[in-house]
């Protein structure tokens, strides 16, 4: 029987040498005259053990990792094709604690299947949601998504079903589905992982959105820094089209839906939905004033659903298993699962999909295993560059949209950047203003100028010029930015700044005072 070896083709695994491993494995197979094939799967998201090589044995899969090209000959010598013991043996991948503790709904196939095999996709539950959707009335699909409690995973947490209902109810000669795959937040990689590891689930989710709202064309706007994801998605769309999953008769139904992949313009603000629409139309990525909402006048002035990758990729399982099934996971108004991305100075970095409700401490200490440096955790920034810094004192905060908001934070796209006790929170606050100044689209004054003044004020604070006055100024400036900015880039920059000042006041003493105290 031909042996099957799984070696990830995911950018994260490639950065850790997966491609070299695959080439060496192929060379060994040829040199030893073995009957084996290599499948380039996605990643299971446990990056601390990537490249994770898996073998399909009669007793299930056997995992080895992290594998380097140098380890490959010894793996063959240890008969790893039959699951033989080796110092890199990890046993059944499903039993690796980081993987076993997850609830995988959206990422159910990621790292398991061949990302570009539609047969493999279907064999692992793919297409079941779309098959149901094409036989349903559009309003019933929207109702199912609404009842599931799914909220946008791009950052704002807006109920997906309500957005879809607006598009369904709006008359338009053409409607669009736009997938926001700009993924600019620090410490986030969930969108990339699913596009590279299970692209058909996104195509299926977008097609369901099209059938539900009457949209016939979709666009995936992928950040240009993700060439690998762009290539994977393009191949997957071509395969889906050839198989009749996309086209004038989706899965043989009267519904028409097709889609295209577009490369992003390389600015953080292009992830903001109206700026993204401008960019898709070939214009500069400047934020549009709302109203009109994109759901009413979006791409090319037509009714448009714009959703994050994970929001759309979560829809197929909702249609397949029903709204109740999805809704049963989670807490409060945060229903279903969330792919938490753990990064920064952390031992077990990776993607961890789980129901809402774990505490920040459980995630950082229990799952992430604390810092990689071995030093105490000082702060965790949750929700990307516009998210608040949480000190250990707030580690009892549950992963839930409302619980985070109640503590002046946000979940955002669920990325966590962990910092140890060497982090200087004044520098982090300065960085927040600087980031905003660099990425501002320039349309409104509080953000365009406020961010520059913020950098200058923090610099004065650092050099000891009237520190009390500078803190007052920064606080005032943050209020102006929070309430006067047109979009969340200027409006949320106060979160990292004020959380750093509030929770780490010792770092905001001017340098000479700090030096004297040390
Ligand atoms: C500055 C800025 C950057 C953003 N970047 C992204 C992004 O990279 N990806 C994303 O999905 N949403 C991003 N958003 C949120 C989008 O504006 C929008 O809320 C989202 O695409 C809606 O999809 P959802 O409801 O599925 O979350 C950003 C917002 C702002 C203000
Ligand atoms: S807040 Fe900043 S990014 Fe947003 S519209 Fe205003 S200037 Fe542009």
């Amino acid at each position: 029987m031909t042996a099957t070896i799984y070696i990830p083709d995911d950018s994260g695994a490639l950065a850790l040498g997966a491609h070299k491993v695959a080439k060496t494995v192929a060379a060994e197979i040829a040199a030893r005259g073995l009957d084996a094939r290599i499948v380039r799967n996605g990643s299971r998201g446990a990056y601390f053990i990537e490249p994770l090589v898996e073998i399909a044995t009669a007793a299930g899969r056997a995992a080895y990792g992290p594998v380097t090209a140098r380890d490959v000959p010894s793996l063959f010598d240890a008969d790893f094709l039959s699951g033989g013991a080796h110092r890199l043996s990890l046993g059944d991948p499903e039993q690796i604690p980081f993987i076993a503790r997850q609830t995988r709904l959206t990422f159910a196939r990621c790292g398991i299947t061949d990302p570009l095999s539609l047969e493999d996709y279907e064999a692992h539950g793919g297409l079941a949601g779309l098959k149901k959707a094409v036989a349903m009335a559009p309003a019933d699909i929207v109702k199912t998504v609404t009842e599931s409690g799914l909220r946008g995973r791009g950052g704002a947490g807006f109920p997906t079903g309500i957005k879809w209902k607006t598009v369904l109810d709006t008359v338009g000669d053409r409607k669009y589905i736009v997938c926001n795959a700009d993924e600019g937040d620090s410490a986030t990689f969930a969108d990339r992982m699913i596009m590279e590891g299970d692209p058909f689930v996104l195509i299926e989710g977008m097609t369901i959105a099209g059938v539900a709202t009457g949209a016939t064309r979709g666009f995936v706007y992928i950040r240009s820094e993700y060439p690998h994801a762009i290539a994977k998605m393009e191949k997957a769309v071509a395969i889906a089209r050839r198989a009749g999953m996309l086209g004038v008769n989706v899965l043989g139904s009267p519904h028409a839906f097709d889609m295209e992949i577009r490369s992003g313009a390389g600015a953080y603000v292009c992830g903001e939905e109206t700026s993204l629409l401008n960019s898709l139309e070939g214009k500069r990525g400047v934020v549009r004033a709302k109203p009109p909402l994109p759901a009413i006048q979006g791409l090319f002035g037509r009714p448009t659903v714009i959703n994050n990758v994970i929001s759309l990729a979560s829809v197929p399982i909702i249609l397949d298993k029903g709204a109740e099934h999805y809704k049963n996971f989670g807490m409060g108004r945060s229903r279903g699962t969330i792919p938490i991305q753990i990064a920064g100075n952390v031992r077990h970095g990776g993607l961890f999909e789980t129901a809402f409700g774990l505490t920040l401490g459980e995630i950082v200490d229990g799952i992430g295993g604390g810092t990689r440096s071995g030093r105490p955790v000082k702060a965790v920034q949750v929700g990307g560059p516009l998210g608040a810094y949480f000190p250990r004192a707030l580690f009892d905060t549950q992963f839930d949209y409302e619980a985070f908001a109640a503590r002046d934070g946000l979940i955002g796209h669920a990325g966590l950047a962990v910092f140890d006790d060497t982090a200087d929170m004044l520098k982090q606050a300065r960085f927040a203003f600087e980031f905003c100044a660099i990425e501002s689209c320039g349309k409104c004054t509080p953000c365009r100028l406020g961010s520059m003044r913020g950098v200058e004020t923090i610099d004065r604070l650092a050099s000891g010029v009237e520190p009390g006055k500078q803190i007052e100024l920064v606080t005032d400036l943050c209020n102006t930015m929070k309430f006067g900015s047109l979009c969340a880039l200027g409006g949320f920059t106060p979160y990292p700044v004020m959380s750093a000042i509030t929770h780490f006041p010792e770092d905001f003493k001017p340098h000479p005072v700090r030096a004297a105290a040390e």
Side-chain angles (χ1 to χ4, degrees):
M1 198 182 90
T2 308
T4 306
I5 309 168
Y6 293 86
I7 307 174
D9 185 31
D10 161 281
S11 295
L14 293 179
L16 292 162
H19 197 54
K20 221 168 152 191
V21 171
K23 271 172 74 177
T24 316
V25 168
E28 286 290 328
I29 292 171
R32 296 176 191 235
L34 298 169
D35 182 16
R37 68 178 186 122
I38 298 172
V39 171
R40 301 303 301 271
N41 55 335
S43 171
R44 289 188 187 254
Y47 283 110
F48 54 98
I49 44 173
E50 288 285 6
L52 183 70
V53 175
E54 293 179 27
I55 314 295
T57 72
R61 290 206 186 173
Y64 300 84
V67 176
T68 67
R70 271 200 315 277
D71 299 315
V72 171
S74 67
L75 281 166
F76 278 94
D77 294 343
D79 192 22
F80 85 134
L81 291 187
S82 311
H86 186 274
R87 71 182 164 79
L88 296 177
S89 294
L90 294 169
D92 176 356
E94 303 284 341
Q95 299 307 319
I96 296 169
F98 187 91
I99 294 168
R101 292 169 71 185
Q102 300 190 39
T103 302
R104 287 213 160 187
L105 302 184
T106 308
F107 282 77
R109 281 170 296 267
C110 198
I112 295 172
T113 53
D114 177 346
L116 292 177
S117 164
L118 202 48
E119 294 71 39
D120 213 4
Y121 180 66
E122 232 182 317
H124 287 80
L127 289 184
L130 180 59
K131 280 181 188 161
K132 283 193 182 158
V134 292
M136 287 165 75
D140 290 337
I141 305 174
V142 172
K143 193 161 164 264
T144 303
V145 174
T146 307
E147 284 175 358
S148 74
L150 178 68
R151 292 167 71 178
R153 304 290 191 238
F158 188 82
T160 305
I162 293 179
K163 193 181 279 190
W164 289 20
K165 184 165 177 3
T166 310
V167 176
L168 170 66
D169 292 345
T170 305
V171 179
D173 59 346
R174 237 174 302 153
K175 297 182 187 179
Y176 296 107
I177 307 297
V178 173
C179 172
N180 189 341
D182 204 43
E183 196 162 58
D185 282 359
S186 39
T188 63
F189 43 88
D191 298 352
R192 181 192 57 68
M193 251 186 72
I194 205 118
M195 288 188 289
E196 293 178 357
D198 193 17
F200 293 123
V201 78
L202 176 57
I203 297 171
E204 185 176 349
M206 286 180 71
T207 310
I208 293 171
V211 172
T213 57
T216 49
R217 192 141 208 99
F219 292 92
V220 190
Y221 184 92
I222 309 178
R223 63 179 299 160
S224 58
E225 297 88 338
Y226 282 175
H228 209 67
I230 292 172
K232 259 294 160 49
M233 283 301 301
E234 271 171 351
K235 281 185 191 154
V237 165
I239 294 167
R241 199 177 286 134
R242 273 203 301 277
M245 181 182 171
L246 292 171
V248 283
N249 301 107
V250 169
L251 295 184
S253 76
H255 299 282
F257 188 77
D258 211 331
M259 57 195 277
E260 289 172 40
I261 308 301
R262 291 290 159 86
S263 171
Y268 180 70
V269 77
C270 283
E272 192 282 332
E273 57 186 12
T274 60
S275 180
L276 186 153
L277 293 176
N278 274 336
S279 182
L280 256 185
E281 290 177 9
K283 300 171 188 152
R284 216 181 110 205
V286 176
V287 173
R288 297 178 185 171
K290 284 189 273 192
L293 292 171
I296 304 210
Q297 272 181 49
L299 189 63
F300 302 113
R302 304 303 203 295
T304 302
V305 165
I306 173 157
N307 271 134
N308 171 254
V309 172
I310 303 302
S311 316
L312 290 161
S314 299
V315 166
I317 192 152
I318 292 171
L319 266 291
D320 176 21
K321 300 261 161 66
E324 276 304 308
H325 176 79
Y326 193 77
K327 200 179 174 177
N328 278 338
F329 298 95
M331 65 173 278
R333 289 179 49 224
S334 305
R335 310 310 315 176
T337 57
I338 176 98
I340 298 171
Q341 299 127 88
I342 313 170
N345 187 343
V346 70
R347 260 179 77 207
H348 296 154
L351 180 136
F352 190 91
E353 183 178 350
T354 182
F356 283 94
L358 287 184
T359 66
L360 193 51
E362 282 169 323
I363 300 164
V364 174
D365 298 325
I367 296 156
T371 64
R372 189 173 162 85
S373 62
R375 299 181 67 96
V377 174
K378 177 169 179 174
V380 183
Q381 188 178 28
V382 185
L386 309 175
Y389 288 98
F390 278 73
R392 190 166 269 289
L394 295 182
F395 273 18
D396 61 341
T397 313
Q398 284 182 289
F399 219 79
D400 159 81
Y401 291 104
E402 279 65 42
F404 265 70
R407 289 189 159 172
D408 288 327
L410 49 119
I411 285 181
H413 189 44
L416 262 65
V418 181
F419 294 81
D420 75 9
D421 62 350
T422 60
D424 180 339
M425 302 312 289
L426 180 138
K427 282 192 184 151
Q428 295 307 121
R430 186 190 190 279
F431 170 70
F433 277 131
E434 189 189 15
F435 179 81
C436 181
I438 293 169
E439 298 294 339
S440 170
C441 83
K443 183 146 177 165
C444 66
T445 315
C447 168
R448 186 184 67 245
L449 294 182
S451 51
M452 302 291 290
R453 298 292 92 87
V455 172
E456 294 159 8
T457 314
I458 298 272
D459 282 347
R460 277 200 300 277
L461 177 60
S463 50
V465 183
E466 298 182 274
K469 195 172 155 198
Q470 309 309 336
I471 293 276
E472 241 176 72
L473 265 176
V474 169
T475 310
D476 191 25
L477 180 61
C478 280
N479 268 324
T480 306
M481 288 178 72
K482 188 168 175 183
F483 299 108
S485 297
L486 187 58
C487 85
L489 179 45
F492 284 18
T493 293
Y495 280 95
V497 174
M498 291 313 296
S499 59
I501 293 176
T502 308
H503 302 307
F504 308 93
E506 63 283 2
D507 285 10
F508 287 81
K509 290 175 191 151
H511 278 309
V513 180
R514 282 201 276 170
E518 278 158 11

